[in-house]
Amino acid sequence: MVAIVDYNAGNTRSLQFALDRLGVNSSLTSNIEEIQSAEKIIFPGQGAALNAMQNLKKKGLDKIIPNLKQPVLGICLGMQLLCRSTEEGNIDCLDIISTDVKKISNKVKVPHMGWNNISNLKSQLFNNVIDNEFMYLVHSFYVPIIPETIAESNYNGFFSVAIQKNNFYGVQFHPEKSSKPGIKILENFLTI
Amino acid sequence: MLTKRIIPCLDIKDGRTVKGVNFKNLRDAGDPVELAEKYANEKADELVFLDISATEQKRKTLYKLVLDVAASLDIPFTVGGGIKSIKDVSLLLKNGADKVSINSSAVYRPELINEVSTHYGSQCLVVAIDAKKINNKWKVHLVGGKVSTDIDLFKWAKEVESRGAGEILFTSMDNDGTKNGFANDAIAKLSNQLNIPIIASGGAGTEEHFKETFTVGKADAALAASVFHFGKISIPSLKNKLKRQNIAVRI
């Protein structure tokens, strides 16, 4: 069973449908026991970081998530919350990956919205995904290139479009909205 | 590199696609889900569904439709038409829409833009602006272009951005339906003045028009309806042509 962490952080319907199409059982839940006992955990996110962190704290999930031992996939804001802090509201995040999330420069349009290519792919998450494949992104903050970077993209310079530390994976793009290659990445995560 | 987006727009009435759709190999040309899948397979970058149902009762079919589209589509889609409140927005997002597009209701009550972006994030909010040149000045029009206002396009666009819109969908009523090309002067001015993406709409007739709106018009995305629905332009051919002309597109 795949647990999708429910903390009122945006639209998870597409993600649930994508998992349905893969024939995978999923449950949208904030129940701590259910999350802890799931085989895989997807940590989605959209909207504002401050609200998201407050909701996680209210549900006690900020203490649970960093201690999970099974594969965890943070998507979009979910990936950013795995980091130490974010310039979005200047708040502390879960600090699973010790890096700080930065604001995209106003020299380019913000949000970075649309399809961009991902390269330098370094994880089984990208099995059978070609270098420079396109993914759909929409974000105003970014994770810089760090030792945990497993894929990068370029928007006013290179940034981390995917990161990994131990059992924690994060992708800035929306695999559930990135056509067949995105669904392949979701499928790869489920087989880790 | 971030690519330019090609966005087919589907008009929906009572849960069905309207405007003659001239495709072979479609079992049911009026079925929005089937048409959406066809465009997704051709590598359309996003889709817009514009609901033009006349009554509130008929509008309910829209929510079911959004759910059906979300269940089968793996690219982003926007839903617009008749959205008046944060409650309407919430229902559409819950049913799986990635973004909503608001138009007249944002002019009547601009706070709606702040409310949606605060609650759900700028990423899900497209503000659509219809405008027309009157005495050489671009003026905002409402209710599908039927109601004129004295509001200046560029001032309104700036306000829309500062209130938290994620994107602007600009339709030039002077160009819409002409197939003579996009209003690239106005689009370029919007794109230069604002720091959020601009979707160009109105006037697409040839593949060259898309190239012009991306280069001269500096548009981030281009939306069209009939040229795609009637098969005058095929998305794979359009994208290949753009790519040959060194415009970044997803192939």
Side-chain angles (χ1 to χ4, degrees), chain B residues 7 29 45 68 85 96 124 126 151 159 201 224 230 234 240 242:
Chain B
I7 309 177
D45 297 299
D68 290 345
S85 67
C124 73
V126 182
I151 302 167
E159 181 176 345
S201 158
F230 289 102
S234 91
N240 278 315
L242 291 170

Side-chain angles (χ1 to χ4, degrees), chain A residues 65-77:
Chain A
I65 293 171
N67 294 312
L68 292 168
K69 299 289 177 245
Q70 59 276 67
V72 177
L73 177 66
I75 296 177
C76 196
L77 179 63

Side-chain angles (χ1 to χ4, degrees), chain A residues 13-58:
Chain A
R13 184 73 84 168
S14 300
L15 183 60
Q16 290 170 279
F17 278 134
L19 294 171
D20 288 351
R21 288 196 296 271
L22 286 169
V24 176
N25 244 337
S26 69
S27 167
L28 181 66
T29 178
S30 59
N31 180 294
I32 287 173
E33 278 170 24
E34 199 177 358
I35 291 171
Q36 284 174 328
S37 64
E39 291 159 51
K40 303 277 181 342
I41 290 145
I42 298 183
F43 180 40
Q46 249 179 23
L50 180 63
N51 266 337
M53 276 309 295
Q54 283 171 346
N55 286 339
L56 286 175
K57 283 178 185 165
K58 251 184 251 164

